[in-house]
Amino acid sequence: MRKKIVVLTEDAPAPMPVFSQGIKKGGFFQVAGQGPMDPVTNKYVGDGDVRIQTRRTLENVKAILVAGGSSVEDVIMFRVYLTTRDDFGAMNEAYGEFIRENVPSGALPSRTTAIVGLPNDVMLVEIDALAATT
């Protein structure tokens, strides 16, 4: 049986005590859903601005990937959760900019976007990632 490896970094918001920021096992690296919280101040950023929130959220995901020895280039799937369909276009623009900057190969990761309720009213977006480590 392969052991699970917990990934934890101070460069992303601290996880709640019931889950890990990231888990590596068997060639996979799952990054827990991240939101638009600044890891230094522990405060949400971009109140009402999904572009700012998307960028901060993706930077948090990236920090966990890097802490686990991976990169955005290794991501095979992002899942994006939005609170309203109206924010899709702006989120997609911010996401696209981030991907162009962080996936130099041009081999774009897969993505799913869902419209959901999120745990904090200020959150407009949450994003998780699945990366391959081998």
Side-chain angles (χ1 to χ4, degrees), residues 4 6-7 16 21 36 44 51-52 60 63 65 67-68 70 104 123 132:
K4 289 196 285 187
V6 175
V7 176
M16 298 178 105
Q21 283 178 324
Y44 288 102
R51 283 183 177 90
I52 291 170
N60 291 341
L65 288 165
S70 292
M123 291 175 67

Side-chain angles (χ1 to χ4, degrees), residues 26-65:
F28 293 102
F29 183 2
Q30 177 65 55
V31 175
Q34 298 297 302
M37 183 176 281
D38 183 306
V40 175
T41 64
N42 285 318
K43 294 186 180 187
Y44 288 102
V45 300
D47 189 21
D49 188 330
V50 76
R51 283 183 177 90
I52 291 170
Q53 288 199 6
T54 298
R55 183 64 187 216
R56 175 73 261 166
T57 299
L58 286 165
E59 291 294 345
N60 291 341
V61 170
K62 179 181 175 180
I64 297 165
L65 288 165

Side-chain angles (χ1 to χ4, degrees), residues 114-127:
I115 309 305
V116 300
L118 293 174
N120 188 304
D121 289 342
V122 74
M123 291 175 67
L124 302 175
V125 62
E126 181 174 354
I127 301 173

Side-chain angles (χ1 to χ4, degrees), residues 1-122:
M1 182 182 319
R2 294 182 180 150
K3 183 179 177 184
K4 289 196 285 187
I5 299 168
V6 175
V7 176
L8 183 63
T9 180
E10 292 180 359
D11 293 332
M16 298 178 105
V18 294
F19 61 86
S20 299
Q21 283 178 324
I23 291 286
K24 294 173 75 172
K25 184 173 181 176
F28 293 102
F29 183 2
Q30 177 65 55
V31 175
Q34 298 297 302
M37 183 176 281
D38 183 306
V40 175
T41 64
N42 285 318
K43 294 186 180 187
Y44 288 102
V45 300
D47 189 21
D49 188 330
V50 76
R51 283 183 177 90
I52 291 170
Q53 288 199 6
T54 298
R55 183 64 187 216
R56 175 73 261 166
T57 299
L58 286 165
E59 291 294 345
N60 291 341
V61 170
K62 179 181 175 180
I64 297 165
L65 288 165
V66 169
S70 292
S71 71
V72 178
E73 186 75 61
D74 299 316
V75 173
I76 55 177
M77 178 69 165
F78 281 106
R79 283 174 292 265
V80 177
Y81 307 94
L82 290 173
T83 59
T84 177
R85 185 174 287 117
D86 295 340
D87 284 339
F88 180 83
M91 176 282 299
N92 200 49
E93 287 176 16
Y95 173 92
E97 290 170 8
F98 180 86
I99 294 299
R100 282 189 294 280
E101 293 167 14
N102 289 279
V103 182
S105 72
L108 303 177
S110 297
R111 188 182 88 192
T112 296
T113 304
I115 309 305
V116 300
L118 293 174
N120 188 304
D121 289 342
V122 74

